[in-house]
C-alpha cells in the first residue's frame, strides 16, 4: 500500500481499531492499488480503513485520512448502507469535479466498500466550451471510462463472490469448533433417527467412539432406562413419535440412560428438526446435557422438603423480625391455624415465655450460639397453652438469616412424667414408712445396680437404746371389743406412738400384735439416744393414760429399755422389713415381759446412762433367760 500523507483529525485511538493488513487484504479487490478510480473502505461507523492511491486527492479535499471518520457528503450514505445492508449509488462533488460512488456493504454491514469514478464530462461540465472536436474527444473518453467501469463492476462482482465464500468458510470453521468443543453432547440424526455424527462430549458420556455410534439408532445408543419407570417409557415414546413425524420436541425431556460401561446417568434432552444445505429430507439435531448431579441434588431437596412438610413435629422458619417465613402442616394443626394465617403471625404471639421486648436480644444470641435446645410453652389459637421441646438453629440461606425451629408437643410426656413422679413419691413414702431413709436409699441403689432388691443389708451399731412396749391385758380387751373397734383403738394408739417417735428423731422398727418396738441411735448415730428413748417411754405412758380416760377402757403399758450394741439390717427376698438382732434386743424384750404393768423397766447399762437426769427405783435381780441374774431398775420420772 502506498505511503499516503493522511490527515490526523481522527487521532491515535481511531487507528488502533483499524484492521490488520492480512485482514484488510482479504476484503479488498486485488486490483485496487492499480485502479485509476478512487476505492475506499470504511467500517459501519464511517471510519476510513483503506484508500487506494487514486483516492488521495479526494481525501485531501475532504480533509480526512486513514483512521478518520469520513468527512464528506458520502458519510450519511455509508451509515445508511451499513444499517440496511443494501448497496446503493451516490453522486457527490469534490472541488470542481463530479464523482459517482457505488457503496457495497460487507459482513452484514460491518464494512462498506466505496468504488468511484469521475463523471464531470458526462454531466457536460466544461471550463472553456470547446467545439465539436472537443466533444468528440469527450465522447471517446466517456467510452473508455464506461469500459473501465464495466471492468471494475466485473472485478467487484468477482470480489464479492470471493468475500462471501470466505465468510461462509469462516462460519463453517466457527460452527465446527463449537461442535467439537461444546461441553454438552450433540448428535446429528438422519430422517430415520440414526446417528450421522456425534461430538466428543457425547462420546465421553456414552463411553463410545464416534465410529461405534455412526449408523445406529439414537435410542439404542443412549439405552434409555424405562423398564420400571412409566415416565421414562413415556419419554421414549415421545422421542419416537417426534422422529416418526419429523417434528421438534416442544420441550426438553429428563431421562435416565446407561453408558457402555453399564453406568446409569440422567440427561436433559432436546431434539430439533434442521435443514442441512443439499440434504433431503431434513435432519435432526439432539442436544444432551448430563444433569445427574443436579437432579440428585434437586430430588434430595424435594425429598427433604416433603419430609419436612409431612413431619409430625412442628417446623417453623422465622425471620429476624420474628415473623414466620414458613410453617409445615403439623405446625398449623398443632397451633390451630390455617397455614396462611400462621404465616401472618410472629413467634412472640405463639410463645408466651418470649417477651417481644427481649426478641432482639434473643436473635443476637442466636447469631453467636447458633443452636439452642430447651423446654418452653406454645399457645394455640384458642388460647390453650401446651409444653414443647424446642430446638432452634440459626441458619443462612440465599444470603438471608433465619431461625429454623423444631418443636415437639410433650403434653403426653409431661403427663407421664407427672404420673411417674407421683408414683415415685408414693414409693418413696412407702419405703420411708418401712425403712429408715439411709436404708431405703441403699435398697434403691441396690435395685438400680442389680435390677432387683434382695441382697442382705446389715450394719453393726455399738451404742443404741432399744424400747419394747406392750399393752397389758390385750387378750381380755380383744374379747370385749369387736374386731373393727379393736383395730381402731390400736391404730389410734400406735399412730400416736409413731408421731412421738418421729418428734424425738427415733426409728420405729415394727409392731407385733399389741407390742411396739423402737430404737434410738441408728441408722444415724445419736449421742443422747438413751435420753431420747426414755422421753419416748414417759410420753407413751402419758398417752396411754389419756387413751384410758377417753375410751373408758383401761390401757396399761409395760415398757422395757436396754442400751448396748446391735446389728441392724434387711434380709430376705420379699416382704422386707428393717430389724435388729443381738443381746441388747433380747434384754429390752425381757425387760418388757418381766416388767411391772404401768412401769418402765431398764437394764443396768441404761440406768447408768440415765440416772443423773431421771429418778429410778431399784427393783433388784431378775432371772433372765439366757443371761442369768440381771439387775433391773424402774424409771419413775424426770429429776
Amino acid at each position: 500500500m502506498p505511503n499516503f500523507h493522511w490527515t490526523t483529525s481522527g487521532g491515535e485511538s481511531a487507528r488502533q481499531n483499524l484492521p490488520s493488513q492480512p485482514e484488510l487484504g482479504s476484503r479488498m479487490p486485488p486490483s485496487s492499488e492499480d485502479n485509476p478510480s478512487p476505492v475506499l473502505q470504511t467500517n459501519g461507523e464511517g471510519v476510513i480503513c483503506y484508500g487506494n492511491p487514486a483516492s488521495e486527492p479526494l481525501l485531501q479535499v475532504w480533509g480526512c485520512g486513514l483512521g478518520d471518520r469520513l468527512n464528506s457528503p458520502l458519510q450519511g450514505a455509508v451509515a445508511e448502507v451499513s444499517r440496511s445492508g443494501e448497496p446503493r449509488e451516490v453522486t457527490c462533488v469534490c472541488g470542481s469535479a463530479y464523482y459517482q460512488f457505488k457503496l457495497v456493504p460487507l459482513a452484514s454491514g460491518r464494512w462498506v466498500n466505496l468504488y468511484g469514478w469521475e463523471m464531470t464530462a458526462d454531466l457536460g461540465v466544461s471550463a472553456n466550451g470547446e467545439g465539436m472536436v472537443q466533444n468528440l474527444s469527450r465522447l471517446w473518453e466517456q467510452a473508455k471510462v464506461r469500459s473501465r467501469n464495466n471492468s471494475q463492476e466485473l472485478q467487484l462482482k468477482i470480489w464479492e463472490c470471493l468475500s462471501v465464500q470466505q465468510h461462509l468458510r469462516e462460519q463453517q470453521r466457527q460452527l465446527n469448533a463449537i461442535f467439537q468443543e461444546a461441553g454438552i453432547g450433540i448428535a446429528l440424526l438422519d430422517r430415520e433417527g440414526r446417528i450421522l455424527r456425534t461430538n466428543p462430549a457425547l462420546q465421553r458420556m456414552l463411553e463410545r467412539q464416534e465410529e461405534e455410534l455412526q449408523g445406529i439408532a439414537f435410542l439404542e445408543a443412549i439405552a434409555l432406562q424405562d423398564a420400571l419407570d412409566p415416565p421414562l417409557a413415556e419419554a421414549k415414546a415421545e422421542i419416537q413419535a417426534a422422529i416418526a413425524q419429523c417434528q421438534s420436541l416442544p420441550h426438553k425431556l429428563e431421562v435416565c440412560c446407561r453408558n457402555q460401561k453399564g453406568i446409569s446417568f440422567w440427561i436433559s434432552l432436546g431434539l430439533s428438526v434442521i435443514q442441512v444445505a443439499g440434504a433431503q429430507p431434513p435432519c435432526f439435531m439432539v442436544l444432551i446435557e448430563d444433569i445427574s448431579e443436579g437432579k440428585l441434588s434437586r430430588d434430595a431437596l424435594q425429598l427433604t422438603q416433603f419430609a419436612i412438610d409431612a413431619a409430625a413435629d412442628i417446623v417453623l422458619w422465622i425471620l429476624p423480625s420474628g415473623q414466620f417465613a414458613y410453617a409445615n402442616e403439623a405446625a398449623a394443626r398443632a397451633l390451630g391455624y390455617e397455614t396462611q394465617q400462621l404465616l401472618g403471625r410472629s413467634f412472640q404471639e405463639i410463645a408466651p415465655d418470649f417477651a417481644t421486648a427481649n426478641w432482639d436480644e434473643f436473635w443476637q444470641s442466636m447469631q453467636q450460639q447458633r443452636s439452642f435446645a430447651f423446654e418452653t410453652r406454645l399457645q394455640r389459637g384458642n388460647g390453650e397453652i401446651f409444653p414443647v421441646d424446642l430446638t432452634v438453629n440459626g441458619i443462612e440461606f440465599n444470603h438471608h438469616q433465619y431461625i429454623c425451629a423444631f418443636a415437639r408437643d410433650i403434653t403426653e410426656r409431661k403427663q407421664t412424667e407427672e404420673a411417674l413422679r407421683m408414683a415415685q413419691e408414693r414409693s418413696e413414702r412407702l419405703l420411708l414408712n418401712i425403712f429408715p431413709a439411709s436404708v431405703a436409699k441403699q435398697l434403691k441403689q441396690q435395685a438400680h445396680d442389680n435390677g432387683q432388691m434382695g441382697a442382705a443389708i446389715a450394719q453393726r451399731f455399738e451404742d443404741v437404746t432399744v424400747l419394747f412396749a406392750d399393752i397389758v391385758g390385750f387378750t381380755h380387751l380383744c374379747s370385749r371389743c369387736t374386731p373393727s373397734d379393736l383395730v381402731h383403738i390400736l391404730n389410734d394408739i400406735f399412730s400416736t406412738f409413731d408421731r412421738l417417735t418421729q418428734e424425738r428423731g427415733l426409728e420405729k422398727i415394727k409392731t407385733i400384735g399389741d407390742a411396739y418396738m423402737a430404737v434410738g441411735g441408728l441408722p444415724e448415730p445419736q449421742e443422747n439416744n438413751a435420753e431420747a428413748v426414755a422421753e419416748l417411754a414417759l410420753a407413751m405412758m402419758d398417752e396411754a393414760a389419756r387413751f384410758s380416760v377417753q375410751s373408758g377402757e383401761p390401757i396399761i403399758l409395760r415398757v422395757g429399755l436396754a442400751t448396748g450394741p446391735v446389728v441392724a439390717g434387711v434380709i430376705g427376698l420379699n416382704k422386707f422389713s428393717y430389724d435388729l438382732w443381738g443381746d441388747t434386743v433380747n434384754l429390752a424384750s425381757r425387760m418388757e415381759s418381766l416388767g411391772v404393768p404401768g412401769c418402765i423397766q431398764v437394764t443396768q447399762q441404761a440406768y447408768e446412762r440415765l440416772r443423773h437426769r431421771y429418778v429410778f427405783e431399784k427393783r433388784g435381780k431378775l432371772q433372765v433367760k439366757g443371761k442369768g441374774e440381771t439387775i433391773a431398775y424402774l424409771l419413775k420420772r424426770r429429776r
Side-chain angles (χ1 to χ4, degrees), residues 116-221:
W117 60 91
E118 187 177 354
M119 54 180 296
T120 306
D122 289 343
L123 296 176
V125 179
S126 178
N128 50 18
E130 294 179 276
M132 182 63 70
V133 175
Q134 292 174 333
N135 289 335
L136 289 174
S137 177
R138 177 174 58 78
L139 293 174
W140 171 250
E141 291 297 327
Q142 289 176 356
K144 291 195 294 183
V145 169
R146 291 192 190 94
S147 177
R148 286 197 301 272
N149 288 342
N150 290 336
S151 176
Q152 290 172 359
E153 288 181 3
L154 178 61
Q155 290 177 358
L156 174 62
K157 292 183 181 297
I158 293 172
W159 180 81
E160 286 178 348
C161 289
L162 292 174
S163 296
V164 169
Q165 290 178 357
Q166 183 177 0
H167 181 65
L168 290 175
R169 284 195 297 272
E170 178 65 18
Q171 285 186 331
Q172 178 67 27
R173 185 190 67 78
Q174 292 175 355
L175 290 174
N176 190 59
I178 292 172
F179 185 83
Q180 294 294 327
E181 301 300 327
I184 63 173
I186 304 175
L188 296 179
L189 314 181
D190 65 13
R191 178 65 181 81
E192 303 301 323
R194 293 184 294 267
I195 296 177
L196 298 173
R197 187 180 178 190
T198 57
N199 74 333
L202 183 57
Q203 296 160 24
R204 289 192 296 271
M205 286 185 200
L206 301 176
E207 296 287 347
R208 301 176 74 172
Q209 300 297 320
E210 184 171 19
E211 295 77 10
E212 300 176 67
L213 294 169
Q214 285 179 344
I216 67 175
F218 172 71
L219 289 176
E220 177 186 345

Side-chain angles (χ1 to χ4, degrees), residues 73-84:
L74 299 176
Q75 183 175 358
V78 168
E80 182 180 346
V81 168
S82 174
R83 183 171 57 256
S84 66

Side-chain angles (χ1 to χ4, degrees), residues 15-284:
R15 294 186 181 88
Q16 293 174 2
N17 296 320
L18 297 181
S20 62
Q21 187 67 23
E23 181 185 2
L24 184 64
S26 68
R27 295 197 303 268
M28 297 307 300
S31 59
S32 298
E33 295 293 314
D34 300 328
N35 197 327
S37 296
V39 178
L40 296 168
Q41 187 179 77
T42 71
N43 63 15
E45 297 177 354
V47 176
I48 302 171
C49 304
Y50 170 77
N52 72 343
S55 64
E56 181 180 2
L58 281 72
L59 295 174
Q60 290 177 349
V61 171
W62 290 336
C64 54
L66 184 65
D68 296 332
R69 191 177 299 276
L70 186 63
N71 184 21
S72 78
L74 299 176
Q75 183 175 358
V78 168
E80 182 180 346
V81 168
S82 174
R83 183 171 57 256
S84 66
E86 299 292 335
R88 63 171 294 186
E89 293 187 359
V90 179
T91 302
C92 66
V93 179
C94 182
S96 59
Y98 288 82
Y99 283 87
Q100 182 80 11
F101 276 91
K102 184 166 185 177
L103 281 65
V104 180
L106 300 177
S108 301
R110 290 178 55 200
W111 312 97
V112 179
N113 286 351
L114 295 87
Y115 305 97
W117 60 91
E118 187 177 354
M119 54 180 296
T120 306
D122 289 343
L123 296 176
V125 179
S126 178
N128 50 18
E130 294 179 276
M132 182 63 70
V133 175
Q134 292 174 333
N135 289 335
L136 289 174
S137 177
R138 177 174 58 78
L139 293 174
W140 171 250
E141 291 297 327
Q142 289 176 356
K144 291 195 294 183
V145 169
R146 291 192 190 94
S147 177
R148 286 197 301 272
N149 288 342
N150 290 336
S151 176
Q152 290 172 359
E153 288 181 3
L154 178 61
Q155 290 177 358
L156 174 62
K157 292 183 181 297
I158 293 172
W159 180 81
E160 286 178 348
C161 289
L162 292 174
S163 296
V164 169
Q165 290 178 357
Q166 183 177 0
H167 181 65
L168 290 175
R169 284 195 297 272
E170 178 65 18
Q171 285 186 331
Q172 178 67 27
R173 185 190 67 78
Q174 292 175 355
L175 290 174
N176 190 59
I178 292 172
F179 185 83
Q180 294 294 327
E181 301 300 327
I184 63 173
I186 304 175
L188 296 179
L189 314 181
D190 65 13
R191 178 65 181 81
E192 303 301 323
R194 293 184 294 267
I195 296 177
L196 298 173
R197 187 180 178 190
T198 57
N199 74 333
L202 183 57
Q203 296 160 24
R204 289 192 296 271
M205 286 185 200
L206 301 176
E207 296 287 347
R208 301 176 74 172
Q209 300 297 320
E210 184 171 19
E211 295 77 10
E212 300 176 67
L213 294 169
Q214 285 179 344
I216 67 175
F218 172 71
L219 289 176
E220 177 186 345
I222 62 174
L224 290 182
Q225 304 296 290
D226 61 356
L228 301 176
D229 194 335
L232 294 181
E234 293 173 6
K236 181 177 181 179
E238 195 170 348
I239 295 172
Q240 291 173 329
I243 293 175
Q245 298 171 15
C246 195
Q247 294 179 346
S248 299
L249 286 174
H251 53 82
K252 288 186 177 181
L253 300 176
E254 289 188 358
V255 293
C256 185
C257 303
R258 186 179 65 248
N259 64 21
Q260 187 71 4
K261 294 183 178 180
I263 300 174
S264 297
F265 60 101
W266 282 86
I267 62 171
S268 172
L269 182 151
L271 184 143
S272 302
V273 177
I274 60 172
Q275 183 67 57
V276 179
Q280 289 291 337
C283 300
F284 297 96

